[in-house]
Amino acid sequence: DLHLGATPDDRLDDASRARLLQAREGALQSLAGWIAREESRVGLVVIAGDLFDRYDPPPAVVDKARAALTEITQLVPVILLPGNHDEYSYAQCVFRRGNWPGVLVTGPEPQVVWKGKIGERSCAVVSAAYQAGKVTPGQKLRLPSREKILGNDAEGVLLGVFHATLADHFPDEFVKRERCFWIAHQEAAELGYDYLALGHFHTRREWRM
């Protein structure tokens, strides 16, 4: 969650605030530069929600992000997912304005949004966009199975990209209040997903099943 356009924490000193703002606003451009390097092994970029801090961020912030994403899509595929801060539910949502580079996920039901090759391996991405009014806070996702998507391709990679929290690792009271999806991690593993890329967490975490 980059939260582009957010104001840095008032508890930071001026120099730290300036460094944080510069790093955040330049993150996508830095990523584009890295992917373009010969030693980069990046084959796919996923943004799992809250690219922006608001559904109507400042135009200058939007223009800079759009330009960097356009540069990245010329190198590798990009999956772009709205979160709860830049939620697609709003009529004035930034993602409803203009054309966005890459694959913009807007549907509230999990479906295959991209299929292709990463290196020599086939890859499929399943995603859905949380939308107030169409889904409820903490609604459990019902994921399509690996067999349905990849058939007998044992070497293929199945990714789930969601703005979501995990029922297996957080208490129900927390999950049910959140403006995001709820995923059962164990169930996703049993359905054959190789990896879940989840937005909504504001710190790096990793769980394995």
Side-chain angles (χ1 to χ4, degrees):
D1 297 13
L2 281 179
H3 288 274
L4 298 178
T7 302
D9 197 317
D10 288 335
R11 292 172 292 183
L12 298 174
D13 60 68
D14 289 346
S16 297
R17 283 162 58 88
R19 282 197 302 272
L20 174 61
L21 190 60
Q22 183 179 16
R24 180 191 288 149
E25 301 300 332
L28 288 177
Q29 191 59 52
S30 295
L31 177 60
W34 167 251
I35 296 172
R37 293 169 64 173
E38 188 175 343
E39 63 267 36
S40 169
R41 298 178 61 203
V42 176
L44 174 71
V45 169
V46 297
I47 297 174
D50 288 355
L51 174 61
F52 299 104
D53 192 57
R54 293 177 48 83
Y55 66 90
D56 58 348
V61 173
V62 176
D63 291 345
K64 191 172 181 179
R66 197 193 301 266
L69 287 171
T70 298
E71 191 173 334
I72 293 171
T73 58
Q74 293 170 355
L75 301 165
V76 296
V78 172
I79 311 298
L80 180 56
L81 176 66
N84 61 309
H85 278 252
D86 49 14
E87 200 173 298
Y88 198 71
S89 315
Y90 296 100
Q92 299 303 315
C93 174
V94 60
F95 295 118
R96 292 181 181 270
R97 303 200 300 268
N99 294 321
W100 281 90
V103 177
L104 175 63
V105 180
T106 60
E109 295 292 331
Q111 59 185 311
V112 177
V113 297
W114 183 82
K115 262 188 171 183
K117 289 269 191 179
I118 298 180
E120 297 301 315
R121 302 177 73 181
S122 58
C123 177
V125 177
V126 173
S127 189
Y130 178 89
Q131 289 189 50
K134 293 188 177 180
V135 297
T136 57
Q139 181 169 313
K140 184 180 178 183
L141 280 172
R142 301 193 180 280
L143 303 175
S145 69
R146 178 187 186 88
E147 182 180 11
K148 182 177 180 180
I149 297 167
L150 291 175
N152 297 322
D153 185 355
E155 297 299 317
V157 178
L158 180 57
L159 303 180
V161 180
F162 303 102
H163 204 67
T165 192
L166 293 166
D168 317 67
H169 308 292
F170 293 92
D172 286 350
E173 310 81 64
F174 172 77
V175 172
K176 290 175 181 176
R177 290 198 305 267
E178 293 296 287
R179 287 169 66 90
C180 69
F181 290 113
W182 168 30
I183 294 179
H185 193 184
Q186 182 68 49
E187 183 178 293
E190 291 169 356
L191 285 169
Y193 284 75
D194 296 293
Y195 192 84
L196 297 175
L198 304 179
H200 203 57
F201 299 100
H202 286 184
T203 185
R204 187 182 186 281
R205 302 185 186 190
E206 184 174 298
W207 293 276
R208 294 178 180 272
M209 284 284 183

